[in-house]
Amino acid sequence: MALLITDQCINCDMCDPECPNTAITFGAEIYEIDPDLCTECEGFYDKPTCVAVCPIDCIIPDPDHIETPEQLQAKFLRLHP
């Protein structure tokens, strides 16, 4: 599934440069993750790098964008042919 940055985000700028899919951008008030680009780092890393670097653990699975590992892999292949 795609990930979601909660409103607890402190805009520390740690997650944005870590995203290999450029799915993270600064929104109106906090960073946001584009669910169409987020593969939870599938195809790049074993675990999502944004989650690993977040100092306050405000990145969670997005309940509105649930995807299987197979769907994440297919999205990765679509984004990086």
Side-chain angles (χ1 to χ4, degrees):
M1 69 187 67
L3 298 172
L4 172 74
I5 298 175
T6 69
D7 60 4
Q8 296 173 356
C9 176
I10 59 171
N11 299 322
C12 69
D13 301 319
M14 295 293 292
C15 59
D16 179 27
E18 293 296 321
C19 182
N21 293 314
T22 63
I24 301 174
T25 56
F26 193 74
E29 295 181 23
I30 61 172
Y31 280 94
E32 298 175 349
I33 298 176
D34 182 340
D36 294 329
L37 297 177
C38 179
T39 63
E40 289 191 37
C41 291
E42 176 68 38
F44 289 102
Y45 308 109
D46 292 334
K47 297 180 181 179
T49 57
C50 62
V51 173
V53 299
C54 181
I56 59 167
D57 299 325
C58 70
I59 303 173
I60 61 170
D62 186 343
D64 293 331
H65 296 95
I66 298 172
E67 297 168 290
T68 66
E70 293 80 16
Q71 290 171 312
L72 291 171
Q73 179 66 26
K75 187 191 303 185
F76 166 77
L77 293 173
R78 195 170 53 251
L79 293 170
H80 304 279

